[in-house]
């Protein structure tokens, strides 16, 4: 089901979060403890903001624990906002275009979850992607469809509304098709300035999500959002199901309850 | 634009055609002479019939000249009917699902050519794949769409009609969209018994295709069909544009002129 | 620490053992239960005998559970003698030349274990490989050194003696260097006719090894040797530490106690 | 035989040299014009200096023209000193540890050339690597041996002497073994501050090397050193055979004739 982390704050070398902590994301790729599957070895990816408005992207099909390039890049690259993701495939093939995060312009997206009945619904879901965005589809995952739908639903100007409308539409397609499996969607979005993290499921088992806010070496506020605590579990807080955690450019934190219907209606 | 070969006859080790000849398919991956691009290093694939009705498949994103697994498999596997393909991408990414040949049930398909304006037409072309086949789409190439359309158009019972109807439909989509780039389609199909090889282009530049028929070590008839002669060029014959070369289970050869309109109308 | 299997008997499709059983080797790559590490995702390999005296070889750095080529090859290839291996690296990098099995002429070798202090001893161990064999070293593992030493010690004419002499020499190098970590060596060798499987450790924790002999579909005797039972655990027998299981071309089974000193002295 | 480039000057995005010029290094990977082989598709690598004393490293076995990660990294990473290399194997396998550049501490090395008779001499050459450095050998190339020898010969304190002594020793091994094939060695070294580029061959065919010095966007001096001019060939100068081009931390340029004997004797 995948594990991921997002960070914003004073620039840090990526390996400080991805590789070094006792239960780092790389450690979670080999042995996650709160995921449906302990092994998240079907590829991985990192996306980070440096000197350009658009993020850099490195995605690979090898397991994260086994990639020397990841170790070197994470040791070398310093960033004030980055995403990282380790993948456990829920059926689609291991290829770089199926690895997270996904990028479009200045936006990054990553996802932990699944659209119930996806293989059967795939075509109907793809139909929700407008023509103008369809040629950005490079892979076959439900996650990439969700990202392209978010872009179509106004992600760039109304991220929360886009989230609600996208999930509402997917829910409708699932209902129409009589799918009884749940929609699970614990995800993160960023434009390189703010982060929007959502923990959501249509049943009572949303994939885990934790966050921590604090001083980053005394030089300013930092916020980390993770599938599983990287270390010192008592210092992390679980995000309640159905909530969006918003981190602004000033790293101020705000919470919003996701309301598919209200937002969708706007 | 890719290079390929097809063989049917007495079982031979695959490397006899793929690796050993002076201008073998592996040699063509590094330095083709009749292709738009000399280098065909964006992955490769082999499909062969052994003891099952369905073919075996090995596809990889590395260049063919550089893959020790290919060398070992081609040296070890003996088959009386096989396909091999080296890829030069025309825009879509290098991933295994984008490599040829494509397989479905007992059928194999491979392709050298391009649908003009594909990136713009992709969605309209995908719409021609019926629901029941759509979940077999694993990649993003025009070639895979063509194969799924062929299956939808009755490949299993009427291969020539399926070819004509598929090309007619694609031509219509291109015309409707005002695409002026050509449709080029030099391809091979097999059900493990017969081979159907077509050299086609909507302009006057169909990708090259040659064939040779003869004794395979004196023990029976063999037919090889190749993008470029493997050796002794004078022993190969070019297939005229617009013609289908049919090789039956008894390796008897027959030619048919492709008539998009007549066949399509049937 | 790796998991492996060896089979000899009536030809079977490889996936009958590698993919289909409940606790198949592919299942063990994701979740082994008797290994030091549950995950064996650092590459894999298969070697099999077909129509040539030399085996075919397919090795890849992806996890075995995630490789569609493996699924297709194992479904297509039928063999009366094959090896398969899933790797958990003990420090050396993930590259195809570091994956098992290793091949030389008609011989195959695979290994589960470790030379204690290897990184420190590597050079001294490499020095035990004679010049004539040294250019076959393509990777950096201790396993490959052991195979080349076995070849040097007379594997082709005296497999048991070669095993004893190789382990005796490695033990001596370790002792001279003051290494206190154990030598563990649970391995299999074959020339395409007989199989030699050894479960050995210098301490009391040799990697697990089981075997089963029986009718293969009623058509003859078959012997399977595995790191972990593939199914129905009660039908498998553990090989005692320090013993070699020999399976002859007629699939008759014989056991020999390994005596490093006696054999080494011959 | 490989192609490479080195840059020092005002920080630039790597793609300005690696991807964008008409005859960029990526273009050379597909179609070099002054190399023994036009195709340099057997892997590639980049090494760059950022915020740490040690360089970052990204090496991959895919062709450079076909790697989206390279495109993204080169577009995102800005550096004032970097190396990039595209590989045409001269016999050793395609694996990441066989790709250039090679790194050790703050040093980077890359190479275009070949030790004549390498496969036969490999062991004798490896014997020249001292024990303390031997465990850094991860691959099987002659280039990696040369780098480890350079380190052993005092690269860190006397780069020119280390070059001369290393080549002198290799030459001696070749002579002793009666090798008549040439030693070709067009290479670059850096400690992250200075660059040492050498064009050398024991015969009269040293691999090509060019350099250009000038303003980088008006903001300071920049020096580029390349196997083949990236654009505007008339603005590049060929480095004479047997010469070392030294670029200091201030980007001042100096030339030294390589004298194996004199330097070796120091």
């Amino acid at each position: 089901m995948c594990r991921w982390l997002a960070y914003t704050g004073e620039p840090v070398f990526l390996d400080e979060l991805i590789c070094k902590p006792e239960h780092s994301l790389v450690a979670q790729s080999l042995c996650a403890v709160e995921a449906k599957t302990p092994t998240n070895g079907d590829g991985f990816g990192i996306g980070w903001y440096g000197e350009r408005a658009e993020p850099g992207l490195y995605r690979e099909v090898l397991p994260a624990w086994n990639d020397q390039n990841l170790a070197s890049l994470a040791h070398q690259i310093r960033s004030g906002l980055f995403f990282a993701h380790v993948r456990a495939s829920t059926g689609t093939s291991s290829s770089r275009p199926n690895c997270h995060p996904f990028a479009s312009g200045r936006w990054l997206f990553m996802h932990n979850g699944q659209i119930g009945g996806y293989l059967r619904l795939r075509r109907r879901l793809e139909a929700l992607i407008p023509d103008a965005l369809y040629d950005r589809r490079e892979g076959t995952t439900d996650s990439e469809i969700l990202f392209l739908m978010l872009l179509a639903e106004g992600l760039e100007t109304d991220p929360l509304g886009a989230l609600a409308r996208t999930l509402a539409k997917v829910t409708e397609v699932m209902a129409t098709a009589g799918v009884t499996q749940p929609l699970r969607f614990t995800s993160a979005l960023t434009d390189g300035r703010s982060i929007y993290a959502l923990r959501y499921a249509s049943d009572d088992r949303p994939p885990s999500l934790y966050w921590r806010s604090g001083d980053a070496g005394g030089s300013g506020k930092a916020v980390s959002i993770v599938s599983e605590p990287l270390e010192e579990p008592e210092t992390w807080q679980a995000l309640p199901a159905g909530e969006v955690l918003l981190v602004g450019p000033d790293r101020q934190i705000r919470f919003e309850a996701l309301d598919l219907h209200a937002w969708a209606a706007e």
Side-chain angles (χ1 to χ4, degrees), chain A:
Chain A
M1 286 283 273
C2 313
R3 303 278 80 182
W4 56 255
L5 72 77
Y7 170 86
T8 180
E10 289 302 303
V12 297
F13 289 107
L14 272 56
D15 60 357
E16 293 297 330
L17 279 79
I18 293 176
C19 309
K20 289 189 181 172
E22 189 186 348
H23 195 56
S24 70
L25 194 68
V26 167
Q28 292 174 43
S29 75
L30 192 55
C31 197
V33 295
E34 298 189 45
K36 257 175 76 176
T37 53
T39 309
N40 293 274
D42 301 332
F44 68 89
I46 55 174
W48 72 97
Y49 294 85
E51 298 189 53
R52 294 188 191 268
E54 299 80 26
L57 205 59
Y58 173 61
R59 304 189 291 181
E60 178 53 292
V61 294
L62 289 174
W65 72 76
N66 211 0
D67 187 83
Q68 288 182 303
N69 286 324
L70 175 62
S72 183
L73 290 168
H75 187 66
Q76 191 65 216
I77 294 169
R78 189 147 81 146
S79 172
L81 200 168
F82 60 90
F83 279 14
H85 185 277
V86 294
R87 182 168 184 247
S89 166
T90 52
T92 49
S93 71
S94 277
S95 64
R96 289 183 181 175
N98 281 354
C99 289
H100 306 224
F102 301 94
S104 177
R106 58 176 65 208
W107 286 83
L108 280 179
F109 169 71
M110 62 185 170
H111 174 227
N112 167 23
Q114 195 170 5
I115 298 176
Y118 171 61
L119 294 183
R120 187 151 66 85
L121 300 184
R122 175 175 157 199
R123 181 164 214 163
R124 273 171 274 192
L125 294 164
E126 285 180 341
L128 300 176
I129 305 170
D131 283 349
L133 291 169
Y134 194 73
D135 65 357
R136 300 197 202 164
R137 179 144 169 86
E138 294 182 355
T140 53
T141 59
D142 53 354
S143 304
E144 192 185 36
I145 293 176
L146 288 161
F147 183 40
L148 294 173
M149 287 181 67
L150 285 163
L151 288 165
E153 294 295 339
L155 175 62
E156 301 191 12
T157 52
D158 175 22
L160 298 182
L163 276 167
R165 286 185 290 274
T166 296
L167 293 181
K169 287 194 175 177
V170 171
T171 300
E172 193 184 333
V173 168
M174 292 171 72
T176 304
V179 168
T180 55
Q181 298 155 282
L183 166 62
R184 297 202 181 112
F185 183 85
T186 292
S187 64
L189 286 158
T190 184
D191 60 357
R193 303 181 75 245
S194 302
I195 294 178
Y196 307 83
L198 168 62
R199 185 177 180 212
Y200 175 82
S202 66
D203 66 359
D204 58 354
R205 295 173 60 188
S208 60
L209 197 64
Y210 297 84
W211 64 278
R212 186 169 71 178
S213 171
D215 286 345
S219 56
K221 210 163 183 180
V223 181
S224 301
I225 309 167
V226 299
S227 294
E228 303 189 5
L230 307 181
E231 59 199 344
E232 306 171 53
E234 69 283 1
T235 65
W236 299 80
Q237 292 185 263
L239 186 69
E243 287 212 357
V244 181
L245 165 60
L246 295 90
V247 191
D250 54 359
R251 284 132 211 175
Q252 290 306 312
I253 287 175
R254 195 156 60 86
F255 297 91
E256 297 257 3
L258 181 79
D259 183 340
L260 296 200
H261 307 293
W263 278 345
E266 271 172 29

Short mmCIF file of all heavy atoms in Angstrom, two decimals, chain A residues 219-258:
data_model
loop_
_atom_site.label_atom_id
_atom_site.label_comp_id
_atom_site.label_asym_id
_atom_site.label_seq_id
_atom_site.Cartn_x
_atom_site.Cartn_y
_atom_site.Cartn_z
N SER A 219 16.77 26.81 13.94
CA SER A 219 16.81 27.91 12.98
C SER A 219 15.47 28.17 12.33
O SER A 219 15.38 28.84 11.33
CB SER A 219 17.84 27.61 11.91
OG SER A 219 17.55 26.38 11.30
N GLY A 220 14.43 27.61 12.86
CA GLY A 220 13.13 27.90 12.25
C GLY A 220 12.22 26.70 12.35
O GLY A 220 12.63 25.61 12.76
N LYS A 221 11.00 26.87 11.97
CA LYS A 221 10.01 25.84 12.12
C LYS A 221 10.09 24.84 10.97
O LYS A 221 10.37 25.21 9.83
CB LYS A 221 8.63 26.48 12.11
CG LYS A 221 7.64 25.70 12.94
CD LYS A 221 6.43 26.54 13.26
CE LYS A 221 5.48 25.76 14.17
NZ LYS A 221 4.31 26.57 14.47
N ALA A 222 9.86 23.58 11.27
CA ALA A 222 9.86 22.54 10.25
C ALA A 222 8.66 21.64 10.50
O ALA A 222 8.28 21.41 11.65
CB ALA A 222 11.15 21.73 10.31
N VAL A 223 8.07 21.15 9.45
CA VAL A 223 6.96 20.22 9.57
C VAL A 223 7.26 18.96 8.76
O VAL A 223 7.62 19.05 7.58
CB VAL A 223 5.64 20.85 9.08
CG1 VAL A 223 4.48 19.86 9.24
CG2 VAL A 223 5.35 22.15 9.80
N SER A 224 7.13 17.82 9.39
CA SER A 224 7.29 16.53 8.71
C SER A 224 5.98 15.78 8.79
O SER A 224 5.31 15.78 9.83
CB SER A 224 8.38 15.69 9.38
OG SER A 224 9.61 16.37 9.37
N ILE A 225 5.62 15.14 7.69
CA ILE A 225 4.39 14.36 7.62
C ILE A 225 4.78 12.99 7.07
O ILE A 225 5.44 12.91 6.03
CB ILE A 225 3.37 15.03 6.68
CG1 ILE A 225 3.19 16.51 7.07
CG2 ILE A 225 2.03 14.29 6.72
CD1 ILE A 225 2.44 17.33 6.03
N VAL A 226 4.41 11.93 7.79
CA VAL A 226 4.95 10.61 7.47
C VAL A 226 3.90 9.52 7.63
O VAL A 226 3.01 9.63 8.47
CB VAL A 226 6.14 10.27 8.39
CG1 VAL A 226 7.28 11.28 8.22
CG2 VAL A 226 5.70 10.22 9.85
N SER A 227 4.02 8.47 6.85
CA SER A 227 3.15 7.31 7.01
C SER A 227 3.37 6.62 8.35
O SER A 227 2.44 6.11 8.98
CB SER A 227 3.39 6.30 5.88
OG SER A 227 3.00 6.83 4.65
N GLU A 228 4.62 6.58 8.77
CA GLU A 228 4.97 5.97 10.05
C GLU A 228 6.04 6.82 10.72
O GLU A 228 6.95 7.31 10.04
CB GLU A 228 5.52 4.54 9.84
CG GLU A 228 4.55 3.65 9.10
CD GLU A 228 4.96 2.19 9.05
OE1 GLU A 228 5.98 1.81 9.68
OE2 GLU A 228 4.25 1.42 8.38
N PRO A 229 5.95 7.01 12.04
CA PRO A 229 6.96 7.79 12.75
C PRO A 229 8.37 7.29 12.42
O PRO A 229 8.61 6.08 12.41
CB PRO A 229 6.62 7.57 14.22
CG PRO A 229 5.14 7.34 14.22
CD PRO A 229 4.88 6.55 12.96
N LEU A 230 9.29 8.23 12.19
CA LEU A 230 10.65 7.87 11.79
C LEU A 230 11.50 7.44 12.97
O LEU A 230 12.50 6.75 12.82
CB LEU A 230 11.31 9.06 11.10
CG LEU A 230 10.55 9.69 9.93
CD1 LEU A 230 11.37 10.84 9.33
CD2 LEU A 230 10.25 8.65 8.85
N GLU A 231 11.10 7.92 14.15
CA GLU A 231 11.83 7.65 15.39
C GLU A 231 11.01 8.28 16.51
O GLU A 231 10.07 9.01 16.23
CB GLU A 231 13.23 8.29 15.33
CG GLU A 231 13.16 9.79 15.13
CD GLU A 231 14.44 10.40 14.60
OE1 GLU A 231 15.49 9.75 14.67
OE2 GLU A 231 14.36 11.53 14.11
N GLU A 232 11.31 8.01 17.73
CA GLU A 232 10.61 8.60 18.88
C GLU A 232 9.11 8.74 18.61
O GLU A 232 8.60 9.86 18.46
CB GLU A 232 11.19 9.98 19.18
CG GLU A 232 12.68 10.00 19.39
CD GLU A 232 13.21 11.43 19.46
OE1 GLU A 232 12.68 12.21 20.28
OE2 GLU A 232 14.13 11.78 18.69
N PRO A 233 8.40 7.64 18.56
CA PRO A 233 6.98 7.67 18.17
C PRO A 233 6.15 8.65 19.00
O PRO A 233 5.18 9.21 18.51
CB PRO A 233 6.52 6.23 18.40
CG PRO A 233 7.75 5.41 18.34
CD PRO A 233 8.87 6.26 18.81
N GLU A 234 6.56 8.87 20.24
CA GLU A 234 5.73 9.71 21.11
C GLU A 234 5.74 11.17 20.68
O GLU A 234 4.91 11.96 21.13
CB GLU A 234 6.20 9.57 22.57
CG GLU A 234 7.56 10.17 22.89
CD GLU A 234 8.73 9.32 22.40
OE1 GLU A 234 8.50 8.25 21.80
OE2 GLU A 234 9.88 9.75 22.61
N THR A 235 6.67 11.54 19.79
CA THR A 235 6.73 12.94 19.37
C THR A 235 5.87 13.23 18.14
O THR A 235 5.86 14.34 17.64
CB THR A 235 8.19 13.36 19.06
OG1 THR A 235 8.65 12.59 17.92
CG2 THR A 235 9.10 13.09 20.24
N TRP A 236 5.19 12.21 17.63
CA TRP A 236 4.37 12.37 16.43
C TRP A 236 2.89 12.29 16.79
O TRP A 236 2.50 11.58 17.69
CB TRP A 236 4.70 11.28 15.41
CG TRP A 236 6.13 11.30 14.95
CD1 TRP A 236 7.19 10.79 15.61
CD2 TRP A 236 6.63 11.87 13.74
NE1 TRP A 236 8.35 11.00 14.89
CE2 TRP A 236 8.02 11.66 13.73
CE3 TRP A 236 6.04 12.54 12.66
CZ2 TRP A 236 8.84 12.10 12.68
CZ3 TRP A 236 6.85 12.97 11.61
CH2 TRP A 236 8.22 12.75 11.64
N GLN A 237 2.08 12.97 16.02
CA GLN A 237 0.64 12.92 16.22
C GLN A 237 -0.03 12.32 15.00
O GLN A 237 0.33 12.64 13.87
CB GLN A 237 0.08 14.32 16.43
CG GLN A 237 0.53 14.94 17.75
CD GLN A 237 -0.14 16.28 17.95
OE1 GLN A 237 0.43 17.33 17.64
NE2 GLN A 237 -1.38 16.25 18.44
N ALA A 238 -1.01 11.46 15.25
CA ALA A 238 -1.76 10.89 14.14
C ALA A 238 -2.74 11.93 13.60
O ALA A 238 -3.36 12.68 14.38
CB ALA A 238 -2.52 9.65 14.59
N LEU A 239 -2.84 12.00 12.30
CA LEU A 239 -3.86 12.87 11.70
C LEU A 239 -5.18 12.10 11.74
O LEU A 239 -5.23 10.94 11.31
CB LEU A 239 -3.47 13.20 10.26
CG LEU A 239 -4.38 14.23 9.54
CD1 LEU A 239 -4.20 15.62 10.14
CD2 LEU A 239 -4.08 14.26 8.04
N PRO A 240 -6.24 12.73 12.23
CA PRO A 240 -7.53 12.02 12.25
C PRO A 240 -8.02 11.73 10.83
O PRO A 240 -7.73 12.50 9.90
CB PRO A 240 -8.47 13.00 12.97
CG PRO A 240 -7.57 13.94 13.69
CD PRO A 240 -6.32 14.05 12.87
N ALA A 241 -8.76 10.66 10.70
CA ALA A 241 -9.32 10.31 9.40
C ALA A 241 -10.21 11.44 8.92
O ALA A 241 -10.91 12.10 9.72
CB ALA A 241 -10.11 9.02 9.50
N GLY A 242 -10.18 11.69 7.62
CA GLY A 242 -11.06 12.70 7.05
C GLY A 242 -10.53 14.11 7.17
O GLY A 242 -11.20 15.06 6.75
N GLU A 243 -9.34 14.27 7.72
CA GLU A 243 -8.81 15.63 7.88
C GLU A 243 -7.69 15.93 6.88
O GLU A 243 -6.93 15.05 6.49
CB GLU A 243 -8.30 15.84 9.30
CG GLU A 243 -9.43 15.96 10.30
CD GLU A 243 -9.11 16.88 11.47
OE1 GLU A 243 -7.98 17.41 11.56
OE2 GLU A 243 -10.01 17.07 12.31
N VAL A 244 -7.65 17.21 6.53
CA VAL A 244 -6.55 17.72 5.73
C VAL A 244 -5.64 18.53 6.64
O VAL A 244 -6.12 19.36 7.41
CB VAL A 244 -7.05 18.64 4.59
CG1 VAL A 244 -5.87 19.13 3.76
CG2 VAL A 244 -8.06 17.92 3.70
N LEU A 245 -4.34 18.24 6.54
CA LEU A 245 -3.35 19.05 7.24
C LEU A 245 -2.75 20.00 6.22
O LEU A 245 -2.18 19.56 5.21
CB LEU A 245 -2.28 18.12 7.82
CG LEU A 245 -0.98 18.73 8.30
CD1 LEU A 245 -1.20 19.74 9.41
CD2 LEU A 245 -0.05 17.63 8.81
N LEU A 246 -2.88 21.30 6.47
CA LEU A 246 -2.32 22.31 5.55
C LEU A 246 -1.12 22.95 6.20
O LEU A 246 -1.19 23.38 7.36
CB LEU A 246 -3.34 23.41 5.26
CG LEU A 246 -4.61 23.01 4.51
CD1 LEU A 246 -5.69 22.62 5.49
CD2 LEU A 246 -5.07 24.16 3.63
N VAL A 247 -0.03 23.00 5.47
CA VAL A 247 1.15 23.70 5.95
C VAL A 247 1.43 24.84 4.98
O VAL A 247 1.66 24.59 3.79
CB VAL A 247 2.38 22.78 6.02
CG1 VAL A 247 3.50 23.47 6.78
CG2 VAL A 247 2.03 21.45 6.64
N GLY A 248 1.38 26.06 5.48
CA GLY A 248 1.58 27.22 4.61
C GLY A 248 3.05 27.51 4.37
O GLY A 248 3.93 26.87 4.95
N PRO A 249 3.31 28.48 3.51
CA PRO A 249 4.70 28.85 3.19
C PRO A 249 5.46 29.29 4.45
O PRO A 249 6.68 29.15 4.51
CB PRO A 249 4.54 30.02 2.21
CG PRO A 249 3.16 29.88 1.64
CD PRO A 249 2.33 29.27 2.72
N ASP A 250 4.74 29.78 5.42
CA ASP A 250 5.38 30.18 6.68
C ASP A 250 5.42 29.01 7.67
O ASP A 250 5.76 29.18 8.82
CB ASP A 250 4.60 31.33 7.30
CG ASP A 250 3.11 30.98 7.45
OD1 ASP A 250 2.72 29.84 7.06
OD2 ASP A 250 2.34 31.81 7.95
N ARG A 251 5.04 27.83 7.18
CA ARG A 251 4.99 26.60 7.99
C ARG A 251 3.97 26.66 9.12
O ARG A 251 4.08 25.91 10.10
CB ARG A 251 6.37 26.25 8.55
CG ARG A 251 7.25 25.65 7.47
CD ARG A 251 8.58 26.30 7.44
NE ARG A 251 9.15 26.33 6.11
CZ ARG A 251 10.30 26.96 5.81
NH1 ARG A 251 10.96 27.57 6.75
NH2 ARG A 251 10.74 26.96 4.60
N GLN A 252 3.03 27.57 8.99
CA GLN A 252 1.91 27.55 9.93
C GLN A 252 1.00 26.39 9.56
O GLN A 252 0.81 26.09 8.38
CB GLN A 252 1.13 28.87 9.88
CG GLN A 252 1.90 30.04 10.45
CD GLN A 252 2.41 29.78 11.86
OE1 GLN A 252 1.64 29.33 12.72
NE2 GLN A 252 3.69 30.03 12.10
N ILE A 253 0.47 25.75 10.56
CA ILE A 253 -0.34 24.55 10.36
C ILE A 253 -1.82 24.86 10.57
O ILE A 253 -2.19 25.61 11.48
CB ILE A 253 0.10 23.45 11.34
CG1 ILE A 253 1.46 22.91 10.90
CG2 ILE A 253 -0.92 22.32 11.42
CD1 ILE A 253 2.04 21.92 11.84
N ARG A 254 -2.65 24.26 9.74
CA ARG A 254 -4.07 24.45 9.85
C ARG A 254 -4.73 23.11 9.52
O ARG A 254 -4.17 22.32 8.75
CB ARG A 254 -4.49 25.49 8.80
CG ARG A 254 -5.85 26.09 8.96
CD ARG A 254 -5.86 27.47 8.26
NE ARG A 254 -5.58 27.37 6.83
CZ ARG A 254 -6.50 27.13 5.88
NH1 ARG A 254 -7.75 26.93 6.21
NH2 ARG A 254 -6.14 27.08 4.61
N PHE A 255 -5.86 22.84 10.08
CA PHE A 255 -6.57 21.59 9.79
C PHE A 255 -7.93 21.91 9.20
O PHE A 255 -8.57 22.88 9.60
CB PHE A 255 -6.76 20.76 11.07
CG PHE A 255 -5.46 20.34 11.68
CD1 PHE A 255 -4.83 21.16 12.63
CD2 PHE A 255 -4.83 19.18 11.28
CE1 PHE A 255 -3.61 20.79 13.18
CE2 PHE A 255 -3.61 18.80 11.84
CZ PHE A 255 -3.00 19.62 12.79
N GLU A 256 -8.35 21.09 8.28
CA GLU A 256 -9.70 21.24 7.73
C GLU A 256 -10.30 19.84 7.66
O GLU A 256 -9.62 18.89 7.27
CB GLU A 256 -9.66 21.80 6.29
CG GLU A 256 -9.09 23.18 6.19
CD GLU A 256 -10.18 24.25 6.00
OE1 GLU A 256 -11.39 23.88 6.01
OE2 GLU A 256 -9.82 25.42 5.86
N ALA A 257 -11.55 19.74 8.02
CA ALA A 257 -12.24 18.46 7.83
C ALA A 257 -12.64 18.37 6.36
O ALA A 257 -13.12 19.35 5.78
CB ALA A 257 -13.47 18.36 8.71
N LEU A 258 -12.39 17.24 5.77
CA LEU A 258 -12.76 17.06 4.36
C LEU A 258 -14.26 16.79 4.28
O LEU A 258 -14.77 15.89 4.95
CB LEU A 258 -12.00 15.87 3.76
CG LEU A 258 -12.30 15.62 2.28
CD1 LEU A 258 -11.53 16.59 1.42
CD2 LEU A 258 -11.98 14.19 1.91
#
